[in-house]
């Protein structure tokens, strides 16, 4: 529905590719003013080029969400540029795979620091501005890996389970101040993360059945499938949704 987000002030992380880029483009299409952040500045350039016809409503900024100073600076830049903040979409994340008994502490910490701590840092930095909005929304990204069994992804699954709990806490803590907080739970979506995922050389693919859904013969979804749901839940059409998980997984967890 075009115009559903007219004038809304939106900050999206992970905006340089995949789901994050798809959300930026969809929110612009629906009338929002958007700041898109990503650690990948080349990716941000690609997003800006894809949105060239709406360049007056998009600003891109570099951000490392796992670094508190960078997260704080990105939120400050977005607030200054937009004159406030109505929506935060934490789409940035990484996925790494390894046998758990071979997983290094460095790999574990890297995944937790980006996916869980990074989500917390962005929420913490944005909350003071969001709570001044008439209709504030936080969208965080969980995964079917937090609910189903995904082998070789202990760190990723744990990080996304943590995001679920963080989002529930935010939703309840700030509900009387008008904030809604929602988890989007993607299944197999074709993005740079999934395209470049390196599984262990001896991975048993028979254990990977839950990575895809049943729709379209088990084909992966695409970022537009997620972006449409985010656009709905952050609009007034989603005004009665908070503290919830919304699965967009083609039925993978049925």
């Amino acid at each position: 529905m075009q115009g559903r987000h007219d004038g809304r002030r939106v900050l999206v992380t992970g905006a340089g590719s995949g789901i994050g880029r798809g959300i930026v483009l969809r929110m612009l299409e629906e009338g929002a003013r958007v700041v898109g952040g990503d650690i990948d500045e080349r990716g941000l350039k690609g997003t800006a080029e894809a949105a060239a016809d709406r360049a007056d409503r998009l600003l891109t900024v570099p951000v490392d969400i796992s670094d508190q100073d960078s997260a704080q600076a990105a939120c400050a830049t977005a607030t200054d540029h937009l004159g406030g903040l109505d929506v935060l979409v934490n789409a940035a994340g990484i996925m790494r795979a390894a046998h758990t008994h071979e997983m290094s502490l460095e790999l574990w910490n890297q995944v937790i620091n980006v996916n869980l701590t990074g989500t917390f840092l962005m929420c913490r930095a944005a909350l003071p501005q969001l709570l001044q909005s008439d209709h504030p929304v936080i969208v965080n990204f969980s995964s079917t890996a937090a609910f189903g069994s995904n082998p070789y992804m202990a760190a990723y699954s744990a990080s996304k389970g943590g995001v679920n709990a963080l989002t529930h806490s935010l939703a309840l803590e700030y509900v009387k101040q008008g904030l809604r907080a929602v988890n989007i739970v993607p299944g197999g979506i074709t993005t740079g993360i999934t395209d470049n995922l390196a599984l262990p050389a001896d991975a048993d693919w028979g254990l990977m059945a839950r990575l895809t859904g049943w729709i379209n013969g088990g084909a992966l979804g695409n970022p537009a499938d997620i972006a449409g749901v985010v656009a709905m839940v952050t609009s007034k059409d989603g005004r009665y949704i908070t503290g919830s998980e919304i699965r967009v997984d083609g039925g993978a967890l049925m």
Side-chain angles (χ1 to χ4, degrees), residues 28-46:
L28 288 170
E29 179 184 338
E30 296 206 15
R33 298 167 58 213
V34 180
V35 172
D38 203 297
I39 199 169
D40 179 4
E41 295 190 48
R42 180 179 296 181
L44 286 176
K45 182 178 179 181

Side-chain angles (χ1 to χ4, degrees), residues 94 96 98-114 155:
I94 61 172
R96 302 287 186 266
H99 288 292
T100 303
H101 69 280
E102 297 175 346
M103 184 179 296
S104 67
L105 181 60
E106 179 183 13
L107 186 149
W108 173 274
N109 285 339
Q110 181 187 30
V111 174
I112 297 296
N113 286 343
V114 173

Side-chain angles (χ1 to χ4, degrees), residues 20-185:
R21 178 182 289 178
I23 293 167
V24 167
L25 298 177
R26 179 60 181 261
M27 298 300 274
L28 288 170
E29 179 184 338
E30 296 206 15
R33 298 167 58 213
V34 180
V35 172
D38 203 297
I39 199 169
D40 179 4
E41 295 190 48
R42 180 179 296 181
L44 286 176
K45 182 178 179 181
T47 299
E49 291 171 351
D53 59 334
R54 301 179 179 94
D56 60 322
R57 288 189 283 111
L58 174 64
L59 174 70
T60 60
V61 296
V63 60
D64 175 359
I65 65 167
S66 68
D67 179 271
Q68 64 176 341
D69 292 335
S70 183
Q72 189 70 47
C75 286
T77 297
T79 298
D80 290 345
H81 179 74
L82 299 172
L85 201 60
D86 300 306
V87 178
L88 171 65
V89 181
N90 285 307
I94 61 172
M95 182 185 292
R96 302 287 186 266
H99 288 292
T100 303
H101 69 280
E102 297 175 346
M103 184 179 296
S104 67
L105 181 60
E106 179 183 13
L107 186 149
W108 173 274
N109 285 339
Q110 181 187 30
V111 174
I112 297 296
N113 286 343
V114 173
N115 293 352
L116 179 54
T117 304
T119 297
F120 158 71
L121 290 174
M122 291 300 300
C123 290
R124 185 182 68 175
L127 273 165
Q129 291 300 323
L130 286 168
L131 294 175
Q132 296 182 40
S133 169
D134 292 334
H135 179 206
V137 187
I138 292 175
V139 173
N140 291 330
F141 272 77
S142 180
S143 167
T144 53
F147 299 93
S149 299
N150 280 11
Y152 320 119
M153 297 184 192
Y156 182 77
S157 297
S159 72
K160 294 303 187 178
V163 170
N164 284 340
L166 170 63
T167 305
H168 295 166
S169 182
L170 292 172
L172 184 57
E173 182 173 352
Y174 297 102
V175 67
K176 291 185 178 181
Q177 292 163 267
L179 178 80
R180 294 189 296 110
V182 179
N183 281 313
I184 303 296
V185 183

